Amino acid sequence: MSNSLFSFPHKNPVLFAGVAAAIILATAFGFQFAGYHPCDMCWWQRYPYMVAMGVALVATAAPKVPQKPVLFLLALVFATDAGLAMFHVGVEQRWWEGISTCSSVVGIADSANELYESIMNAPLIRCDEIAWSLFGIAMAGYNFILASALTLFCLRKIGRAR
């Protein structure tokens, strides 16, 4: 392995945070493509990653932008995502009550009758049910870990940024 691969997070932490957000978001969409449809709270956790990608892209495209405020903004975005993920973990574990609505997946229809049938037969995606887990940790739990790690990464890099 080359040293440049390991120095990437140190040379451009903003770009690293943006790439990490893109990979996490792509993984979430990959699970969705595999049939694990997101609930409303899962969607909420995707939005901060979209924001982080945009912030990182703009900051990387404009190299004269000071990195300290960008890293602070990214830390806030990732901390927000960690908070959303922790709330979702609590709902899944029944530590507290979550939202009272559920989401569903509706297919594309050619007619009003097909659309009606699609809506009526769509499965409900509940926020308090764990769709997938590994080693006893659900997707929201892994998201909490990753978002918290990215928050700490950005905060740590603020002291070393230009």
Side-chain angles (χ1 to χ4, degrees), residues 107-150:
I108 298 173
D110 291 329
S111 69
N113 286 337
E114 285 181 26
L115 180 60
Y116 176 77
E117 287 299 317
S118 179
I119 291 170
M120 296 309 290
N121 295 323
L124 288 178
I125 316 300
R126 296 180 49 102
C127 294
D128 62 351
E129 291 180 0
I130 297 172
W132 178 91
S133 68
L134 179 65
F135 306 119
I137 302 173
M139 284 187 264
Y142 283 108
N143 185 40
F144 171 74
I145 293 167
L146 292 170
S148 297
L150 285 168

Side-chain angles (χ1 to χ4, degrees), residues 29-111:
F29 280 111
F31 271 94
Q32 184 176 345
F33 183 73
Y36 296 98
H37 297 288
C39 68
D40 286 344
M41 293 175 76
C42 293
W43 274 108
W44 296 351
Q45 293 169 71
R46 293 180 186 193
Y47 299 135
Y49 288 118
M50 294 175 193
V51 170
M53 288 169 42
V55 168
L57 182 66
V58 169
T60 302
K64 298 219 185 257
V65 173
Q67 283 195 340
K68 284 185 181 189
V70 173
L71 285 167
F72 183 74
L73 177 60
L74 286 170
L76 287 176
V77 169
F78 291 130
T80 300
D81 194 72
L84 291 169
M86 187 64 217
F87 181 71
H88 194 183
V89 168
V91 170
E92 289 176 337
Q93 297 299 321
R94 306 228 183 344
W95 295 337
W96 45 75
E97 195 170 323
I99 59 174
S100 59
T101 61
C102 297
S103 59
S104 64
V105 179
V106 178
I108 298 173
D110 291 329
S111 69

